[in-house]
Amino acid sequence: PLHGHTFSLEPDTTGQMPVKSVKDHVRLECVCSREQVLGDTVCFLHHSDKRLLKHQSSYLLCNLCTRSCLDLEKVTCWVQHLVSSAWLLLPQSYHWQLTILPSSKSCMFELPGISKRHICTEMYFSVQ
């Protein structure tokens, strides 16, 4: 998770961690001491400037979550956008065309090259 955030898994109705369909809750955590010592982050939980919080407050919560849970479809779309944007900056992009294959649960990419070789890859997400 980003600084100032934690992930926690939601137990199922029996109190056990489910094998599939786990909801990853994103919670804000206090980083006041880090903010004071290093100055490289803002404590979203306790910072007093509400305008700053609205602007920065948590890209993760605002854009990659639905309510307080990570949204796999939003994360997938975000990663697909990042990879396709970064690909254009690589020298390989002149010889290989990146194709993003449709998927809402993982990122699937295909690289059809000029030498008639195709590279396919799939990226799955996990939370530690």
Side-chain angles (χ1 to χ4, degrees):
L2 298 170
H3 292 296
H5 299 78
T6 58
F7 293 144
S8 63
L9 301 179
E10 179 180 278
D12 65 15
T13 56
T14 65
Q16 301 295 314
M17 288 299 168
V19 178
K20 290 185 176 184
S21 192
V22 175
K23 289 186 178 181
D24 297 313
H25 282 275
V26 178
R27 288 184 172 74
L28 295 176
E29 67 178 2
C30 178
V31 291
C32 288
S33 60
R34 181 182 178 117
E35 179 182 9
Q36 292 169 351
V37 174
L38 299 176
D40 66 343
T41 190
V42 173
C43 181
F44 298 124
L45 195 58
H46 297 115
H47 204 280
S48 60
D49 187 348
K50 299 296 182 197
R51 288 174 295 138
L52 177 65
L53 289 180
K54 275 190 173 182
H55 176 66
Q56 277 185 331
S57 152
S58 175
Y59 180 85
L60 184 64
L61 285 170
C62 294
N63 296 298
L64 300 179
C65 293
T66 299
R67 290 182 280 294
S68 65
C69 294
L70 278 177
D71 186 314
L72 187 55
E73 289 184 32
K74 289 179 180 182
V75 171
T76 299
C77 184
W78 178 68
V79 170
Q80 289 171 340
H81 175 72
L82 285 178
V83 169
S84 61
S85 297
W87 179 254
L88 297 175
L89 302 174
L90 296 174
Q92 292 84 347
S93 67
Y94 294 109
H95 304 290
W96 295 80
Q97 179 181 344
L98 177 71
T99 303
I100 298 173
L101 302 174
S103 176
S104 62
K105 305 286 184 200
S106 65
C107 288
M108 297 180 1
F109 306 102
E110 182 179 48
L111 294 168
I114 55 175
S115 64
K116 297 185 181 181
R117 282 173 70 194
H118 290 286
I119 297 173
C120 291
T121 186
E122 188 167 8
M123 186 184 311
Y124 292 95
F125 305 105
S126 66
V127 174
Q128 185 174 10

